[in-house]
Amino acid sequence: MIKLLKALHFIGIVMLLVGIFLYWQTDVVQQVSGMLVVASLIGVGTLMMSPLPVALVFEWARNQPTSDNPKE
């Protein structure tokens, strides 16, 4: 599961970088269709990146040792 999320995270980073590149380096954002493409790349890219950190926190929390008697 983590491997799939890592792949999605990488694809999301690439989509985000492509969207930022198109925004900064081209005139495609001067048209409505270009705005839609850039906004979609950035939005979907960030959505694809977000599950991995959450899954890593859950995995880290699951691997933490538990104690029945916490020290007071």
Side-chain angles (χ1 to χ4, degrees), residues 3-22:
K3 288 183 181 181
L4 173 66
L5 291 176
K6 284 183 181 180
L8 287 175
H9 191 81
F10 178 73
I11 293 169
I13 289 173
V14 170
M15 289 177 69
L16 177 66
L17 293 176
V18 168
I20 291 171
F21 172 78
L22 288 175

Side-chain angles (χ1 to χ4, degrees), residues 4-70:
L4 173 66
L5 291 176
K6 284 183 181 180
L8 287 175
H9 191 81
F10 178 73
I11 293 169
I13 289 173
V14 170
M15 289 177 69
L16 177 66
L17 293 176
V18 168
I20 291 171
F21 172 78
L22 288 175
Y23 180 74
W24 281 344
Q25 300 297 327
T26 64
D27 291 332
V28 75
V29 293
Q30 299 298 323
Q31 303 166 359
V32 174
S33 60
M35 289 179 201
L36 182 64
V37 168
V38 170
S40 297
L41 281 170
I42 292 173
V44 173
T46 54
L47 283 175
M48 289 174 71
M49 288 170 43
S50 60
L52 180 64
V54 174
L56 290 176
V57 167
F58 284 147
E59 183 177 319
W60 171 79
R62 186 175 355 133
N63 293 333
Q64 291 297 310
T66 60
S67 62
D68 293 332
N69 273 335

